[in-house]
Amino acid sequence: MTYKRSAGLLLFRRTGAGSRPVPGNGAGGDAGADAGVGVGVEVLLGHMGGPLWSGRISGDWAIPKGEYGPEETPRDAARREFTEEIGLPPPEGEYLPLGEVRLSSGKLVTIWAVEADLDPALMVPGTFTLEWPPHSGNVQEFPELDRVAWCTPEMAQDMLIPSQLPFLERLLVLLKA
């Protein structure tokens, strides 16, 4: 059986301090800063766009990624998908492999971490079309990601879709080494 494949980039930056609030989720600054895990590091996550994710905060943020076919390498796909979802060129720098995770659907997801800084206000998201409401015949366009934000690893643990948590954990292990 042939399974779909996705690849993406998890951006991280060193802050040298605790955390900052994520826009739109009501989290305060320094959330979890005393835990010691990932203090001084933030990761860039995207909030999934479209009506199914509207208004949700917990478990609906994701690492920017997307599907690719056999004609493309996973790393090239990760870079392309970053541009498609964020609307900015992928960062240059060392790409740290975070490995693969097979989802319950069978899809294989491959992620790299890259140390970079990015201003979330510069994001110009790609879009997709969806019949909404269902069975209405009304096709609408929605952003792939409706916003991106920097957050601490502690915040990301609550925000990320559960299937992507292993990538965050692997990044933190790499950064501690």
Side-chain angles (χ1 to χ4, degrees), residues 2-9 64-82 84-85 99-102 106-112:
T2 303
Y3 292 107
K4 293 182 180 180
R5 297 179 62 92
S6 286
L9 301 178
K65 66 168 189 56
E67 292 183 1
Y68 66 96
E71 71 286 349
E72 193 173 23
T73 68
R75 187 172 184 265
D76 287 345
R79 292 175 54 82
R80 175 185 51 76
E81 283 292 336
F82 184 88
E84 287 181 13
E85 293 206 357
E100 301 175 333
V101 168
R102 186 163 305 273
K107 179 188 279 186
L108 189 63
V109 179
T110 306
I111 301 292
W112 284 265

Side-chain angles (χ1 to χ4, degrees), residues 65-152:
K65 66 168 189 56
E67 292 183 1
Y68 66 96
E71 71 286 349
E72 193 173 23
T73 68
R75 187 172 184 265
D76 287 345
R79 292 175 54 82
R80 175 185 51 76
E81 283 292 336
F82 184 88
T83 299
E84 287 181 13
E85 293 206 357
I86 307 277
L88 299 171
E92 297 302 323
E94 183 180 3
Y95 280 56
L96 307 171
L98 298 179
E100 301 175 333
V101 168
R102 186 163 305 273
L103 306 182
S104 59
S105 67
K107 179 188 279 186
L108 189 63
V109 179
T110 306
I111 301 292
W112 284 265
V114 184
E115 186 169 3
D117 203 354
L118 177 146
D119 181 353
L122 298 177
M123 178 182 126
V124 181
T127 60
F128 68 96
T129 56
L130 176 71
E131 181 181 5
W132 192 259
H135 312 292
S136 67
N138 184 24
V139 177
Q140 299 182 49
E141 193 168 291
F142 297 97
E144 295 268 352
L145 299 173
D146 58 22
R147 62 190 179 276
V148 295
W150 289 102
C151 57
T152 64

